[in-house]
Amino acid sequence: MTEERKHAILLAATILLARKLQPTLENETLNPIIEHYQWRAIHQASRILDRIDQRWPTEASQERN
């Protein structure tokens, strides 16, 4: 899988996460759940990219290993 395709997947995931968090972000008060969702999304995106690299390795990912 190319790096461009992975970036497109991450962009889509970011948009979906932002839509889910939008009502929470509109509040004026600090909400610890926002930080939790942000870190969870980053962790999940990292795991997804690792799985993509395992299934469809690119030349760049093969050079790193």
Side-chain angles (χ1 to χ4, degrees), residues 21-41:
L21 287 179
Q22 186 61 35
T24 309
L25 294 172
E26 290 176 349
N27 293 335
E28 298 275 330
T29 60
L30 280 176
N31 192 342
I33 199 77
I34 293 172
E35 187 171 346
H36 167 74
Y37 279 130
Q38 288 171 340
W39 283 110
R40 185 174 170 192

PDB file of all heavy atoms in Angstrom, residues 21-41:
ATOM      1  N   LEU A  21     -16.588  13.673  18.001  1.00  0.00           N
ATOM      2  CA  LEU A  21     -16.218  14.519  19.133  1.00  0.00           C
ATOM      3  C   LEU A  21     -16.784  15.939  19.053  1.00  0.00           C
ATOM      4  O   LEU A  21     -16.662  16.693  20.011  1.00  0.00           O
ATOM      5  CB  LEU A  21     -14.695  14.609  19.242  1.00  0.00           C
ATOM      6  CG  LEU A  21     -13.992  13.367  19.741  1.00  0.00           C
ATOM      7  CD1 LEU A  21     -12.494  13.595  19.771  1.00  0.00           C
ATOM      8  CD2 LEU A  21     -14.481  12.973  21.120  1.00  0.00           C
ATOM      9  N   GLN A  22     -17.359  16.327  17.945  1.00  0.00           N
ATOM     10  CA  GLN A  22     -17.833  17.704  17.767  1.00  0.00           C
ATOM     11  C   GLN A  22     -18.728  18.192  18.902  1.00  0.00           C
ATOM     12  O   GLN A  22     -18.500  19.278  19.433  1.00  0.00           O
ATOM     13  CB  GLN A  22     -18.540  17.860  16.419  1.00  0.00           C
ATOM     14  CG  GLN A  22     -18.937  19.285  16.101  1.00  0.00           C
ATOM     15  CD  GLN A  22     -17.753  20.210  16.028  1.00  0.00           C
ATOM     16  OE1 GLN A  22     -16.685  19.825  15.580  1.00  0.00           O
ATOM     17  NE2 GLN A  22     -17.929  21.428  16.473  1.00  0.00           N
ATOM     18  N   PRO A  23     -19.733  17.455  19.338  1.00  0.00           N
ATOM     19  CA  PRO A  23     -20.563  17.952  20.446  1.00  0.00           C
ATOM     20  C   PRO A  23     -19.752  18.173  21.727  1.00  0.00           C
ATOM     21  O   PRO A  23     -19.992  19.127  22.460  1.00  0.00           O
ATOM     22  CB  PRO A  23     -21.606  16.861  20.658  1.00  0.00           C
ATOM     23  CG  PRO A  23     -21.643  16.102  19.387  1.00  0.00           C
ATOM     24  CD  PRO A  23     -20.255  16.201  18.811  1.00  0.00           C
ATOM     25  N   THR A  24     -18.773  17.334  21.967  1.00  0.00           N
ATOM     26  CA  THR A  24     -17.943  17.471  23.162  1.00  0.00           C
ATOM     27  C   THR A  24     -17.030  18.680  23.055  1.00  0.00           C
ATOM     28  O   THR A  24     -16.785  19.375  24.043  1.00  0.00           O
ATOM     29  CB  THR A  24     -17.094  16.197  23.351  1.00  0.00           C
ATOM     30  OG1 THR A  24     -17.945  15.062  23.289  1.00  0.00           O
ATOM     31  CG2 THR A  24     -16.374  16.205  24.669  1.00  0.00           C
ATOM     32  N   LEU A  25     -16.523  18.948  21.851  1.00  0.00           N
ATOM     33  CA  LEU A  25     -15.604  20.066  21.653  1.00  0.00           C
ATOM     34  C   LEU A  25     -16.295  21.422  21.759  1.00  0.00           C
ATOM     35  O   LEU A  25     -15.641  22.429  22.005  1.00  0.00           O
ATOM     36  CB  LEU A  25     -14.911  19.939  20.299  1.00  0.00           C
ATOM     37  CG  LEU A  25     -13.971  18.755  20.146  1.00  0.00           C
ATOM     38  CD1 LEU A  25     -13.509  18.633  18.701  1.00  0.00           C
ATOM     39  CD2 LEU A  25     -12.780  18.905  21.067  1.00  0.00           C
ATOM     40  N   GLU A  26     -17.600  21.458  21.552  1.00  0.00           N
ATOM     41  CA  GLU A  26     -18.326  22.719  21.606  1.00  0.00           C
ATOM     42  C   GLU A  26     -18.513  23.220  23.036  1.00  0.00           C
ATOM     43  O   GLU A  26     -18.810  24.389  23.242  1.00  0.00           O
ATOM     44  CB  GLU A  26     -19.677  22.576  20.911  1.00  0.00           C
ATOM     45  CG  GLU A  26     -19.535  22.418  19.404  1.00  0.00           C
ATOM     46  CD  GLU A  26     -20.853  22.176  18.714  1.00  0.00           C
ATOM     47  OE1 GLU A  26     -21.860  21.928  19.401  1.00  0.00           O
ATOM     48  OE2 GLU A  26     -20.863  22.227  17.476  1.00  0.00           O
ATOM     49  N   ASN A  27     -18.331  22.361  24.014  1.00  0.00           N
ATOM     50  CA  ASN A  27     -18.455  22.777  25.409  1.00  0.00           C
ATOM     51  C   ASN A  27     -17.264  23.642  25.796  1.00  0.00           C
ATOM     52  O   ASN A  27     -16.154  23.447  25.333  1.00  0.00           O
ATOM     53  CB  ASN A  27     -18.516  21.563  26.343  1.00  0.00           C
ATOM     54  CG  ASN A  27     -19.776  20.765  26.140  1.00  0.00           C
ATOM     55  OD1 ASN A  27     -20.782  21.287  25.689  1.00  0.00           O
ATOM     56  ND2 ASN A  27     -19.704  19.495  26.459  1.00  0.00           N
ATOM     57  N   GLU A  28     -17.512  24.604  26.671  1.00  0.00           N
ATOM     58  CA  GLU A  28     -16.453  25.509  27.121  1.00  0.00           C
ATOM     59  C   GLU A  28     -15.551  24.846  28.164  1.00  0.00           C
ATOM     60  O   GLU A  28     -14.427  25.264  28.353  1.00  0.00           O
ATOM     61  CB  GLU A  28     -17.083  26.775  27.716  1.00  0.00           C
ATOM     62  CG  GLU A  28     -17.908  27.568  26.723  1.00  0.00           C
ATOM     63  CD  GLU A  28     -17.050  28.516  25.913  1.00  0.00           C
ATOM     64  OE1 GLU A  28     -16.020  28.968  26.443  1.00  0.00           O
ATOM     65  OE2 GLU A  28     -17.409  28.796  24.765  1.00  0.00           O
ATOM     66  N   THR A  29     -16.060  23.856  28.865  1.00  0.00           N
ATOM     67  CA  THR A  29     -15.281  23.249  29.949  1.00  0.00           C
ATOM     68  C   THR A  29     -14.327  22.199  29.413  1.00  0.00           C
ATOM     69  O   THR A  29     -14.549  21.607  28.362  1.00  0.00           O
ATOM     70  CB  THR A  29     -16.220  22.582  30.979  1.00  0.00           C
ATOM     71  OG1 THR A  29     -16.977  21.568  30.323  1.00  0.00           O
ATOM     72  CG2 THR A  29     -17.159  23.601  31.589  1.00  0.00           C
ATOM     73  N   LEU A  30     -13.246  21.977  30.143  1.00  0.00           N
ATOM     74  CA  LEU A  30     -12.303  20.929  29.787  1.00  0.00           C
ATOM     75  C   LEU A  30     -12.921  19.574  30.087  1.00  0.00           C
ATOM     76  O   LEU A  30     -13.536  19.379  31.120  1.00  0.00           O
ATOM     77  CB  LEU A  30     -11.012  21.083  30.586  1.00  0.00           C
ATOM     78  CG  LEU A  30     -10.044  22.122  30.076  1.00  0.00           C
ATOM     79  CD1 LEU A  30      -8.857  22.225  31.030  1.00  0.00           C
ATOM     80  CD2 LEU A  30      -9.555  21.760  28.695  1.00  0.00           C
ATOM     81  N   ASN A  31     -12.736  18.665  29.176  1.00  0.00           N
ATOM     82  CA  ASN A  31     -13.312  17.350  29.346  1.00  0.00           C
ATOM     83  C   ASN A  31     -12.214  16.316  29.122  1.00  0.00           C
ATOM     84  O   ASN A  31     -11.649  16.239  28.030  1.00  0.00           O
ATOM     85  CB  ASN A  31     -14.452  17.150  28.342  1.00  0.00           C
ATOM     86  CG  ASN A  31     -15.271  15.937  28.652  1.00  0.00           C
ATOM     87  OD1 ASN A  31     -14.850  15.054  29.386  1.00  0.00           O
ATOM     88  ND2 ASN A  31     -16.456  15.884  28.080  1.00  0.00           N
ATOM     89  N   PRO A  32     -11.882  15.534  30.137  1.00  0.00           N
ATOM     90  CA  PRO A  32     -10.807  14.548  29.973  1.00  0.00           C
ATOM     91  C   PRO A  32     -11.124  13.472  28.938  1.00  0.00           C
ATOM     92  O   PRO A  32     -10.223  12.827  28.413  1.00  0.00           O
ATOM     93  CB  PRO A  32     -10.648  13.936  31.357  1.00  0.00           C
ATOM     94  CG  PRO A  32     -11.781  14.406  32.173  1.00  0.00           C
ATOM     95  CD  PRO A  32     -12.421  15.555  31.474  1.00  0.00           C
ATOM     96  N   ILE A  33     -12.378  13.304  28.608  1.00  0.00           N
ATOM     97  CA  ILE A  33     -12.746  12.282  27.623  1.00  0.00           C
ATOM     98  C   ILE A  33     -12.200  12.644  26.246  1.00  0.00           C
ATOM     99  O   ILE A  33     -11.889  11.762  25.440  1.00  0.00           O
ATOM    100  CB  ILE A  33     -14.279  12.062  27.592  1.00  0.00           C
ATOM    101  CG1 ILE A  33     -14.621  10.724  26.940  1.00  0.00           C
ATOM    102  CG2 ILE A  33     -14.991  13.165  26.857  1.00  0.00           C
ATOM    103  CD1 ILE A  33     -14.386   9.569  27.836  1.00  0.00           C
ATOM    104  N   ILE A  34     -12.039  13.943  25.964  1.00  0.00           N
ATOM    105  CA  ILE A  34     -11.491  14.364  24.672  1.00  0.00           C
ATOM    106  C   ILE A  34     -10.070  13.839  24.513  1.00  0.00           C
ATOM    107  O   ILE A  34      -9.720  13.267  23.481  1.00  0.00           O
ATOM    108  CB  ILE A  34     -11.522  15.900  24.544  1.00  0.00           C
ATOM    109  CG1 ILE A  34     -12.970  16.392  24.478  1.00  0.00           C
ATOM    110  CG2 ILE A  34     -10.778  16.355  23.298  1.00  0.00           C
ATOM    111  CD1 ILE A  34     -13.101  17.896  24.536  1.00  0.00           C
ATOM    112  N   GLU A  35      -9.258  14.030  25.541  1.00  0.00           N
ATOM    113  CA  GLU A  35      -7.878  13.558  25.467  1.00  0.00           C
ATOM    114  C   GLU A  35      -7.833  12.034  25.330  1.00  0.00           C
ATOM    115  O   GLU A  35      -7.027  11.492  24.574  1.00  0.00           O
ATOM    116  CB  GLU A  35      -7.096  13.996  26.694  1.00  0.00           C
ATOM    117  CG  GLU A  35      -5.623  13.683  26.597  1.00  0.00           C
ATOM    118  CD  GLU A  35      -4.823  14.303  27.720  1.00  0.00           C
ATOM    119  OE1 GLU A  35      -5.342  15.182  28.427  1.00  0.00           O
ATOM    120  OE2 GLU A  35      -3.672  13.883  27.881  1.00  0.00           O
ATOM    121  N   HIS A  36      -8.724  11.363  26.036  1.00  0.00           N
ATOM    122  CA  HIS A  36      -8.790   9.905  25.936  1.00  0.00           C
ATOM    123  C   HIS A  36      -9.090   9.482  24.505  1.00  0.00           C
ATOM    124  O   HIS A  36      -8.416   8.594  23.958  1.00  0.00           O
ATOM    125  CB  HIS A  36      -9.856   9.365  26.885  1.00  0.00           C
ATOM    126  CG  HIS A  36     -10.194   7.924  26.626  1.00  0.00           C
ATOM    127  ND1 HIS A  36      -9.358   6.893  26.979  1.00  0.00           N
ATOM    128  CD2 HIS A  36     -11.270   7.365  26.017  1.00  0.00           C
ATOM    129  CE1 HIS A  36      -9.918   5.747  26.607  1.00  0.00           C
ATOM    130  NE2 HIS A  36     -11.068   6.014  26.026  1.00  0.00           N
ATOM    131  N   TYR A  37     -10.090  10.086  23.873  1.00  0.00           N
ATOM    132  CA  TYR A  37     -10.445   9.727  22.504  1.00  0.00           C
ATOM    133  C   TYR A  37      -9.322  10.062  21.528  1.00  0.00           C
ATOM    134  O   TYR A  37      -9.091   9.336  20.560  1.00  0.00           O
ATOM    135  CB  TYR A  37     -11.730  10.425  22.070  1.00  0.00           C
ATOM    136  CG  TYR A  37     -12.980   9.740  22.568  1.00  0.00           C
ATOM    137  CD1 TYR A  37     -13.984  10.464  23.206  1.00  0.00           C
ATOM    138  CD2 TYR A  37     -13.181   8.380  22.397  1.00  0.00           C
ATOM    139  CE1 TYR A  37     -15.128   9.846  23.668  1.00  0.00           C
ATOM    140  CE2 TYR A  37     -14.328   7.755  22.850  1.00  0.00           C
ATOM    141  CZ  TYR A  37     -15.296   8.493  23.475  1.00  0.00           C
ATOM    142  OH  TYR A  37     -16.428   7.881  23.924  1.00  0.00           O
ATOM    143  N   GLN A  38      -8.626  11.183  21.766  1.00  0.00           N
ATOM    144  CA  GLN A  38      -7.525  11.543  20.881  1.00  0.00           C
ATOM    145  C   GLN A  38      -6.422  10.492  20.936  1.00  0.00           C
ATOM    146  O   GLN A  38      -5.954  10.022  19.899  1.00  0.00           O
ATOM    147  CB  GLN A  38      -6.953  12.905  21.270  1.00  0.00           C
ATOM    148  CG  GLN A  38      -7.874  14.055  20.925  1.00  0.00           C
ATOM    149  CD  GLN A  38      -7.390  15.362  21.523  1.00  0.00           C
ATOM    150  OE1 GLN A  38      -6.607  15.389  22.458  1.00  0.00           O
ATOM    151  NE2 GLN A  38      -7.879  16.459  20.983  1.00  0.00           N
ATOM    152  N   TRP A  39      -5.990  10.124  22.132  1.00  0.00           N
ATOM    153  CA  TRP A  39      -4.931   9.127  22.257  1.00  0.00           C
ATOM    154  C   TRP A  39      -5.384   7.768  21.742  1.00  0.00           C
ATOM    155  O   TRP A  39      -4.603   7.033  21.135  1.00  0.00           O
ATOM    156  CB  TRP A  39      -4.451   9.018  23.711  1.00  0.00           C
ATOM    157  CG  TRP A  39      -3.561  10.149  24.061  1.00  0.00           C
ATOM    158  CD1 TRP A  39      -3.829  11.186  24.895  1.00  0.00           C
ATOM    159  CD2 TRP A  39      -2.247  10.391  23.559  1.00  0.00           C
ATOM    160  NE1 TRP A  39      -2.779  12.046  24.941  1.00  0.00           N
ATOM    161  CE2 TRP A  39      -1.779  11.583  24.136  1.00  0.00           C
ATOM    162  CE3 TRP A  39      -1.422   9.717  22.677  1.00  0.00           C
ATOM    163  CZ2 TRP A  39      -0.530  12.112  23.860  1.00  0.00           C
ATOM    164  CZ3 TRP A  39      -0.164  10.244  22.398  1.00  0.00           C
ATOM    165  CH2 TRP A  39       0.263  11.419  22.991  1.00  0.00           C
ATOM    166  N   ARG A  40      -6.635   7.441  21.967  1.00  0.00           N
ATOM    167  CA  ARG A  40      -7.159   6.162  21.473  1.00  0.00           C
ATOM    168  C   ARG A  40      -7.158   6.134  19.944  1.00  0.00           C
ATOM    169  O   ARG A  40      -6.780   5.138  19.335  1.00  0.00           O
ATOM    170  CB  ARG A  40      -8.569   5.968  22.021  1.00  0.00           C
ATOM    171  CG  ARG A  40      -9.155   4.634  21.674  1.00  0.00           C
ATOM    172  CD  ARG A  40     -10.468   4.446  22.366  1.00  0.00           C
ATOM    173  NE  ARG A  40     -11.111   3.269  21.840  1.00  0.00           N
ATOM    174  CZ  ARG A  40     -12.355   2.946  22.070  1.00  0.00           C
ATOM    175  NH1 ARG A  40     -13.088   3.703  22.844  1.00  0.00           N
ATOM    176  NH2 ARG A  40     -12.873   1.861  21.557  1.00  0.00           N
ATOM    177  N   ALA A  41      -7.557   7.245  19.324  1.00  0.00           N
ATOM    178  CA  ALA A  41      -7.566   7.318  17.861  1.00  0.00           C
ATOM    179  C   ALA A  41      -6.154   7.219  17.298  1.00  0.00           C
ATOM    180  O   ALA A  41      -5.920   6.535  16.297  1.00  0.00           O
ATOM    181  CB  ALA A  41      -8.219   8.615  17.404  1.00  0.00           C
TER     182      ALA A  41
END
